[in-house]
Amino acid sequence: MSGEPLGPVLVADAGSSSLHLTVFDDDLGVLAERDISSAPGDDVADLMRRLLREAPAPVAVGHRVVHGGPALRSHLLVDDRAREALDGAADLAPLHVPPALTVLDAARELLPGIPHAACLDTVFHTGLPAAAREYAVPAAWREEYGLRRYGFHGLSYAWALDRTAELLGRRPEELHVVIAHLGGGCSACAVRDGRSVDTTMGFTPLEGLVMSHRSGSVDPGALTWLQTRHHLSAEEIDEVLNHEGGLLALSGTSDDTRDLVRARAEGDRQAALALDVFTHHCRRGIAAMAASLDRLDALVFTGEIGEDQPEVREEVCARLTSLGLRGGLLSPDGAIVDRPAVVSAEGAAVPVIVVPTGEARQVDRETRSLLRRCHT
């Protein structure tokens, strides 16, 4: 970001079962970081105190918040009114927003004298055209309940788009690309002229592609049938779709593609099935996103699976020849791509690009942008 240096920024990225805290300098260098693999709780403030003893005092805190709901359509500095508005989105992403708000509240109490920014994953998709945004349901549902497609992984997409533009030597506003964020949660997004025009996730982060332990899209008729014919409660269905579905349900053993690739090589048929279903849904999602573009300048992979699972990238691209993609992708040493890179063969009709996940860095950039706008 341009402008005078601002100083260190603390970035908090809270998930349903993890918390990543990072202090960045003005050049996105990491001054200190802490990760925990459990849901944020009462120990958040102590964790922050220990982290801040290792780094200069931050000038601001940026918080990743998955869902802004219908009311919040831009990144914002948090005051009491904004904090109340964030509560309104909590039930739309119950796995993600409440933990983020737990961390936000602890950070505001611990560091009351500096700005706190809420950086929303849904912001990247606020300009979705009506055809991609609206569900075919009664107007009352859409207007009174806010039932629409919001889209997620926006901070990841914003970071990946800018890195892709740099790699191709073009401006983001010139590009028509499909970006696939494949990790614990998975989605794909169509970017036309630098703007999101379609995405596979919708009202919640459950819609769309098969994920690690989320089912992705399931026929809604099947869900009402389970309720009426087999008397499963809404709570039981929600628990299965969000926690017991996806790769975990298909394989019966693991929600990690690395485990499944190894198990498949050893003859595990359920692992093979899980990977087949996963890559099939990835291909279908990518092809659907390409339908919203005039051309395909690149296919971009990001997220933990996207950046460190070459087998998945190969199986997705090798069977998307109708989009001009091909297999035979390059695999870096150690499989993990640690910087933006083209992994398709030289001269490929459609470049395949891998961009390491950059959500925390994008939160830092958005937080600094908000601070600079406030100071002008």
Side-chain angles (χ1 to χ4, degrees):
M1 304 294 286
S2 59
E4 293 296 319
L6 295 174
V9 168
L10 169 60
V11 171
D13 182 355
S16 58
S17 59
S18 64
L19 172 61
H20 308 287
L21 298 172
T22 313
V23 181
F24 291 105
D25 65 20
D26 285 277
D27 299 316
L28 284 176
V30 175
L31 298 174
E33 57 187 336
R34 280 282 190 281
D35 293 339
I36 60 170
S37 56
S38 59
D42 295 338
D43 58 343
V44 168
D46 287 338
L47 186 69
M48 288 184 181
R49 288 190 189 95
R50 292 196 296 271
L51 175 70
L52 295 174
R53 284 198 288 266
E54 302 175 9
V59 298
V61 184
H63 300 264
R64 180 190 173 210
V65 181
V66 164
H67 209 315
L72 301 177
R73 299 173 59 84
S74 61
H75 308 303
L76 70 162
L77 296 179
V78 178
D79 55 18
D80 290 343
R81 183 177 179 182
R83 174 62 185 82
E84 183 177 354
L86 287 167
D87 271 333
D91 65 343
L92 300 179
L95 298 182
H96 300 88
V97 173
L101 297 184
T102 294
V103 176
L104 174 62
D105 292 341
R108 291 182 74 201
E109 184 174 345
L110 180 65
L111 299 166
I114 62 175
H116 292 255
C119 301
L120 311 172
D121 269 306
T122 46
V123 165
F124 190 74
H125 306 289
T126 51
L128 280 177
R133 183 185 68 233
E134 300 296 343
Y135 289 112
V137 296
W141 290 15
R142 291 180 275 120
E143 295 166 7
E144 294 177 27
Y145 305 152
L147 189 61
R148 51 156 290 184
R149 305 186 72 253
Y150 290 96
F152 301 94
H153 290 139
L155 294 161
S156 175
Y157 288 137
W159 178 263
L161 176 63
D162 285 350
R163 306 290 77 71
T164 296
E166 291 171 358
L167 199 61
L168 296 178
R170 300 169 68 178
R171 294 185 298 112
E173 296 79 11
E174 299 173 335
L175 293 176
H176 286 212
V177 298
V178 173
I179 308 174
H181 177 107
L182 306 179
C186 299
S187 68
C189 176
V191 177
R192 173 199 287 266
D193 301 326
R195 299 178 63 86
S196 170
V197 293
D198 203 358
T199 188
T200 56
M201 281 182 171
F203 182 67
T204 74
L206 185 58
E207 186 180 358
L209 307 183
V210 172
M211 306 176 218
S212 292
H213 49 75
R214 277 177 260 166
S215 64
S217 292
V218 176
D219 181 349
L223 304 181
T224 56
W225 176 79
L226 288 170
Q227 288 182 304
T228 58
R229 182 66 178 271
H230 294 281
H231 310 296
L232 271 66
S233 68
E235 291 76 15
E236 289 174 305
I237 293 172
D238 184 77
E239 175 69 18
V240 169
L241 297 183
N242 277 294
H243 299 286
E244 301 172 24
L247 291 169
L248 180 62
L250 289 164
S251 69
T253 55
S254 177
D255 65 358
D256 191 321
T257 56
R258 293 167 296 187
D259 295 336
L260 299 177
V261 167
R262 287 191 293 267
R264 180 179 62 180
E266 296 168 358
D268 186 326
R269 292 185 179 182
Q270 292 304 114
L273 173 66
L275 290 168
D276 284 348
V277 173
F278 180 77
T279 55
H280 173 78
H281 281 256
C282 286
R283 289 190 297 270
R284 188 162 66 177
I286 289 166
M289 295 302 99
S292 291
L293 306 177
D294 295 335
R295 62 182 188 274
L296 187 57
D297 294 327
L299 171 61
V300 184
F301 288 97
T302 190
E304 296 92 336
I305 297 172
E307 67 190 69
D308 70 9
Q309 198 73 68
E311 296 89 350
V312 168
R313 297 194 298 263
E314 179 68 22
E315 290 170 33
V316 169
C317 293
R319 297 179 64 183
L320 278 175
T321 54
S322 60
L323 297 183
L325 293 156
R326 295 288 185 274
L329 301 179
L330 307 174
S331 293
D333 293 339
I336 298 175
V337 178
D338 60 2
R339 62 180 59 85
V342 176
V343 296
S344 48
E346 186 175 353
V350 178
V352 178
I353 293 170
V354 178
V355 176
T357 309
E359 288 158 319
R361 287 175 167 80
Q362 189 65 28
V363 170
D364 176 273
R365 295 179 70 192
E366 300 293 355
T367 300
R368 293 176 189 277
S369 179
L370 284 170
L371 294 179
R372 290 193 170 97
R373 288 203 294 272
C374 289
H375 293 160
T376 57

